[in-house]
Amino acid sequence: MTRRVFVLGLDGATFDLIKPWAQAGHLPMLARLLAEGAHGPLESTLPPVTSPAWPSFMTGVNPGKHGVFDFIQARQGSFNLVNYTSICSPTLWELLSTAGKRIGVLNVPVTYPPPRVNGFLVAGLLAPPRSEIAYPPGFLARYERELGLYRIMPNVQYKPGNEDAFIADLHNLMERQTRYALRLMQSEPWDFFMVHFLALDVAQHALWAAMDETHPRHDPASPYKTAIRDLYRRADEALAQFLNHLDGETIVLIMSDHGFGPLHRVVNLNNLLLRAGLLRLKPNAWVRLKAGLFRRGLTPVAAYDLLKRLGLQNLVWRVSKQTRNKWVDRFLSFEDVDWSHTLAYAMGHVGQIYINRKGREPQGIVEPHQVEGVRQRVIAALQTLRDPQTGRPLLERVIPGEEAAQGPYAHLGPDLHVVLDGYRCIAFPLFAMDGKIITQQIRGDSGCHRREGIFLAWGPGVRPGVALQGARIVDLAPTILWLMGLSVPDHMDGRPLVEAFAEARAVNWSLSSDPRLGELSRLTAEEEAEVEARLRSLGYLG
């Protein structure tokens, strides 16, 4: 029997918080579903970041097949922002639509520009704020008079001192998205419906230390100790409302793209590579002067701190991207790198390192037979990183790129994925935030992503009390296709999680056609500047 499927995406949700809070009575609906359904940790992508994880959810394949490795497509210090057309594999929305299933999707990241679907789709994170974010065009206008303007992102950027406004805005964001989801569940026909909440991720980045008594920056007197729990409670209340609008034949899936945990420090990996001789600067006097001043504190961070003290920090995002780049390039930056003598560089959120490969990088110099030797030199440099307080090593694991991604686009991804202190340390995503190797996050964030997200299935045919093991984010697209009575394309890396369900129906695998999509659609300069500003406000681009 095929069923309708409802998916609730809780960005950054973790069982580390959900289970104790559910047991304590703070999350009654999730407590009920945990007891009555099947659940387990959900392994995310490498890196465990929103931008590659959601495409892996949508496609059932790893980043080496869909081609999205981060918020940016990085090459030797320059980058382009990714969007939906960057995804080089068929998505769940396309497969369901082609099969005649009617879908409704709200707010899932990396879905702009919104694709043509059988039903409706409202894009999420990475959508420019003043663009047409829905398919069909004009779809949201039908409901705005009744429900208010739809919101996909926070309006208030976190900074210490504005916590009250920041938290209130996140509650408003979730309330508005819940209102739309409930209305659309009733007014639009659907076989598959999904709503995504970004607010949990945003709150955990900013406010983890207020909740976590073990965090080095925890303030026992903080009035925001329950702020994150209160947002989880709002999600729990929304879930209860959603369930009240579902029939008894709908399967409910709850998932997150990654987990969450404390963030202690940021590492400027390019400063480390510079010290190790793996990254070189241009040998002229002007660059040498900039490097000396950079080490002594003349950095973009110092300038930004000055603007903050003057209350002028928001002016930075009111000027054009070209003007900002010219301003930043007056400090030490990738513009000053001598690529003809550079072996490796770091670029990307969490900790991604690229070898300056000949034939891949525009000015690559490392021959294929030299790659492994350069890798070992990079690892040796990483092994010198020490916790400044305890002296213990920060490097926990280095994962080669070929272990993290396989497929036709794997060679475009990072050569090394670095795990520092269990993700309690992450890398600055661009050149460097200041002249130090180990430093603090400029926005004051105290939380960051973890590899294990959540998965929970509930409804008719779900085996109650099953503890799932080994579930991965790439398993969800094939699971949804199987639940809805459709075949699973054999190019998918994931598998249907049949052990969560009592139904003994076989999986029907089908031959895949060429998975590549059409030409990449670039945003306009204005749209890209708007999206970049949003990513910076969330801490994903420094």
Side-chain angles (χ1 to χ4, degrees), residues 3 7 66 197 209 218 265 307 374 376 393 441:
R3 302 185 188 276
V7 179
H66 64 61
F197 289 143
H218 176 71
R265 298 181 181 86
L307 289 174
V374 174
Q376 294 307 313
Q441 215 269 8

Side-chain angles (χ1 to χ4, degrees), residues 26-42:
H26 299 298
L27 306 175
M29 187 53 62
L30 283 166
R32 176 187 165 191
L33 268 59
L34 284 168
E36 297 177 0
H39 73 276
L42 189 71

